[in-house]
Amino acid sequence: MEEGLRERKKRETRRRISDMATGLFLMRGFDQVTVAEVARAADVSVNTVFNYFGTKEDLFLDRQADLEEIYRGVVRDRRPGESVADAFRRDFLDALDTGDWRYGFHEGAEVFGRVIAESPALRARTLEIERQVMACVAAAIAEETGADPDDVRPELVAAQILSTTRLLSRHALRRRAAGESPRETEAWLREQAEALFDLLESGIGDYGRRPLVVADDGEAAGDHEDDHVEGDHGRP
Amino acid sequence: MEEGLRERKKRETRRRISDMATGLFLMRGFDQVTVAEVARAADVSVNTVFNYFGTKEDLFLDRQADLEEIYRGVVRDRRPGESVADAFRRDFLDALDTGDWRYGFHEGAEVFGRVIAESPALRARTLEIERQVMACVAAAIAEETGADPDDVRPELVAAQILSTTRLLSRHALRRRAAGESPRETEAWLREQAEALFDLLESGIGDYGRRPLVVADDGEAAGDHEDDHVEGDHGRP
DNA sequence: CCACAATTTTGGAGTGACTGCAAGTTGGGT
DNA sequence: ACCCAACTTGCAGTCACTCCAAAATTGTGG
């Protein structure tokens, strides 16, 4: 059985709902659009929406599976001589070249990012997805290197690499949102990616080290800078 | 003005609500307790609960400000000769000695952890808090080292260090939940903390590196456990 | 073409978090 | 005693989400 009418209609309905939802969210913001509206736009009932998507957030963020598959590939298909960190560095720079969506460089990524940034619910879901992707990458690394089940290092490596790429993506979005041109942002990203991955690979063990002996006249690396701490105890 | 009756009552009410809520959540789980129940237990109206706490999750997770203050101190008060990573390693091991709550080693942490793990809403909020704490630590590092506002390294260092401690805490909770004794878990933690911080400080650049030359005969491709950097993960 | 079963869709009636508003109630200063 | 401000409360409403049973639709065998 290649594909019955039933399967096709289901796929189409799902696609229609997802597209309508994405369009509305991009246009008016996540919190300003109700699920009922999405349902009406897609010409289905609210219950049908929840039949296809577990939560409202899933209407907007439904690429987790793809992401996991891609990252698994990055780990699995790394080249001879490449470490895991090397492979991700290359993948990041490749994605930068091709404008791939996986790190948020695709066309319209700024709008996408803004919508997420403006909605607490979407931010939360994004973090949860990142966590699960991290676990997935850790599992891939563990399997690939044949690490002991009790070995925590695969998780550490995954966390550190993905922290790095996430940091780069976030800053790229912020810069684009602040009006920087794509060219500038890309150049900045390329430079920073090299710097951060270098730091990542060689270790942060010396970062911010206090000088053992206090020079009485000049100031050595990483010194005082105490005006007053800007108190930000507030809750969100 | 020292403290009027009004202030005292407010403080007491807030405390009563928080305590009642925590007690109920620990006993029956977060999702099994409604805000209305908390309100009834604290002898206030539902609106009053939301007057003190912005969301239901905040009833359970209200230590973010404390956490930020502590971590700021760890960065600011690191000793001569200590790097940021060193300071956090020391803080982690100190907390392990004193059974401090900040990394989840305090009495009853398992129940606490289980309640969080079982509620998607609480998990999400936890991630958001971790993100904000990370930003706070990054800011502290940037200020302390006098880093350029465009320098991304403080954020990277903060992310990596906190990823490490989070990883350790999470595994500790899982082990305790799986029935391991406090003594065993503590010993495991001490060992792993040293190993992970060592890896963190010296860099993960070689982790999982594929061999450059492939022996052509047989199957020496690269799915054996000898293709990752050696390191002892001797367990007790 | 006609049952008949399996699956999908839908409406309706909840639940629970959270908001806004207008009316109490209380504490502090005069 | 009086008043203002802050705090509390009840009430009505929105919205995401769930449960359930009744249609509507599709696939299958006669």
Side-chain angles (χ1 to χ4, degrees):
Chain A
M1 319 308 170
E2 60 300 343
E3 183 177 71
L5 177 63
R6 199 164 228 150
E7 260 86 29
R8 203 188 64 221
K9 270 192 131 181
K10 260 183 81 170
R11 211 162 31 81
E12 282 170 354
T13 302
R14 185 192 171 88
R15 182 58 175 264
R16 197 172 63 247
I17 295 174
S18 177
D19 286 351
M20 286 293 128
T22 308
L24 287 172
F25 292 153
L26 286 181
M27 200 171 333
R28 294 167 36 204
F30 187 75
D31 296 323
Q32 278 68 50
V33 178
T34 71
V35 176
E37 280 179 289
V38 173
R40 228 184 35 227
D43 203 44
V44 293
S45 81
V46 174
N47 280 354
T48 303
V49 174
F50 284 116
N51 197 358
Y52 283 98
F53 300 88
T55 67
K56 186 186 176 189
E57 292 83 53
D58 290 338
L59 285 168
F60 198 60
L61 306 170
D62 58 345
R63 309 290 287 258
Q64 177 178 355
D66 301 331
L67 211 61
E68 291 183 353
E69 198 44 56
I70 290 175
Y71 286 161
R72 244 194 299 268
V74 172
V75 173
R76 206 185 314 113
D77 305 335
R78 64 195 195 281
R79 301 171 180 169
E82 261 186 353
S83 68
V84 181
D86 288 333
F88 272 95
R89 183 205 295 245
R90 179 170 52 78
D91 180 65
F92 186 88
L93 293 173
D94 277 358
L96 208 50
D97 287 331
T98 61
D100 193 279
W101 61 271
R102 89 194 78 160
Y103 294 112
F105 306 141
H106 59 292
E107 191 74 19
E110 343 152 27
V111 192
F112 210 83
R114 187 168 46 75
V115 170
I116 294 177
E118 281 171 358
S119 160
L122 276 185
R123 282 203 310 265
R125 189 83 186 83
T126 302
L127 291 175
E128 173 71 8
I129 288 178
E130 283 170 352
R131 203 184 69 90
Q132 287 179 15
V133 168
M134 228 174 240
C136 169
V137 171
I141 294 176
E143 186 191 9
E144 253 291 319
T145 62
D148 190 277
D150 265 5
D151 193 351
V152 197
R153 290 175 304 170
E155 284 174 76
L156 185 76
V157 172
Q160 294 190 7
I161 291 175
L162 293 184
S163 293
T164 307
T165 58
R166 182 175 62 184
L167 201 55
L168 290 167
S169 301
R170 193 124 39 100
H171 273 268
L173 277 184
R174 208 173 307 170
R175 281 172 168 262
R176 290 300 308 282
E180 198 178 66
S181 78
R183 295 248 184 294
E184 281 176 310
T185 300
E186 193 183 321
W188 183 87
L189 268 178
R190 232 174 264 282
E191 183 188 2
Q192 291 299 316
E194 300 288 2
L196 291 192
F197 270 101
D198 283 347
L199 182 55
L200 184 66
E201 297 186 8
S202 65
I204 63 169
D206 281 328
Y207 192 90
R209 187 180 298 283
R210 281 260 166 84
L212 266 173
V213 195
V214 182
D216 51 322
D217 58 335
E219 59 160 285
D223 207 337
H224 47 70
E225 194 72 24
D226 48 345
D227 295 335
H228 71 292
V229 183
E230 185 114 16
D232 176 30
H233 309 280
R235 309 181 310 90
Chain B
M1 48 184 79
E2 60 303 344
E3 183 179 70
L5 178 60
R6 196 161 228 154
E7 317 278 322
R8 204 187 66 221
K9 271 191 137 180
K10 261 183 79 172
R11 211 162 32 78
E12 282 171 355
T13 302
R14 185 191 171 89
R15 182 56 175 265
R16 196 170 65 248
I17 296 174
S18 177
D19 285 352
M20 287 293 128
T22 308
L24 287 172
F25 293 153
L26 287 180
M27 200 171 334
R28 295 168 34 205
F30 187 75
D31 296 323
Q32 279 67 51
V33 178
T34 71
V35 175
E37 280 179 289
V38 172
R40 231 189 26 235
D43 203 42
V44 292
S45 82
V46 175
N47 280 8
T48 302
V49 174
F50 284 115
N51 196 358
Y52 283 99
F53 300 88
T55 68
K56 185 186 178 190
E57 291 84 52
D58 290 338
L59 285 168
F60 198 60
L61 305 170
D62 59 343
R63 308 289 287 258
Q64 178 179 354
D66 301 332
L67 212 60
E68 292 183 354
E69 197 44 55
I70 290 174
Y71 286 161
R72 245 194 298 266
V74 172
V75 174
R76 205 184 314 115
D77 305 336
R78 65 193 196 280
R79 300 170 181 170
E82 259 187 352
S83 69
V84 181
D86 288 332
F88 272 94
R89 184 204 293 244
R90 179 170 53 77
D91 180 64
F92 186 89
L93 293 173
D94 277 358
L96 207 50
D97 288 331
T98 60
D100 192 280
W101 61 273
R102 88 194 86 172
Y103 295 111
F105 306 140
H106 58 295
E107 190 74 20
E110 343 152 28
V111 193
F112 210 83
R114 188 168 46 73
V115 170
I116 294 177
E118 282 171 356
S119 160
L122 276 185
R123 282 202 310 265
R125 190 81 185 85
T126 302
L127 291 176
E128 173 72 8
I129 289 177
E130 283 169 352
R131 203 182 69 88
Q132 287 179 14
V133 169
M134 228 174 241
C136 168
V137 171
I141 294 176
E143 188 191 8
E144 252 291 320
T145 62
D148 189 275
D150 264 6
D151 193 350
V152 197
R153 291 177 304 172
E155 285 175 74
L156 184 77
V157 173
Q160 294 190 9
I161 291 175
L162 293 184
S163 293
T164 306
T165 57
R166 181 176 62 186
L167 201 57
L168 289 167
S169 300
R170 193 127 36 101
H171 273 267
L173 277 183
R174 208 174 308 169
R175 281 170 170 264
R176 290 301 309 280
E180 199 178 67
S181 79
R183 295 247 185 294
E184 282 176 310
T185 299
E186 193 183 322
W188 182 87
L189 267 178
R190 233 173 265 280
E191 184 188 3
Q192 292 297 318
E194 301 286 3
L196 292 192
F197 270 101
D198 283 346
L199 182 55
L200 184 66
E201 296 186 7
S202 65
I204 64 169
D206 282 327
Y207 192 90
R209 187 181 296 285
R210 283 257 165 85
L212 265 174
V213 195
V214 182
D216 56 322
D217 57 337
E219 36 79 22
D223 55 349
H224 275 346
E225 54 184 323
D226 57 7
D227 62 352
H228 69 285
V229 285
E230 96 289 333
D232 57 87
H233 40 270
R235 313 187 310 94

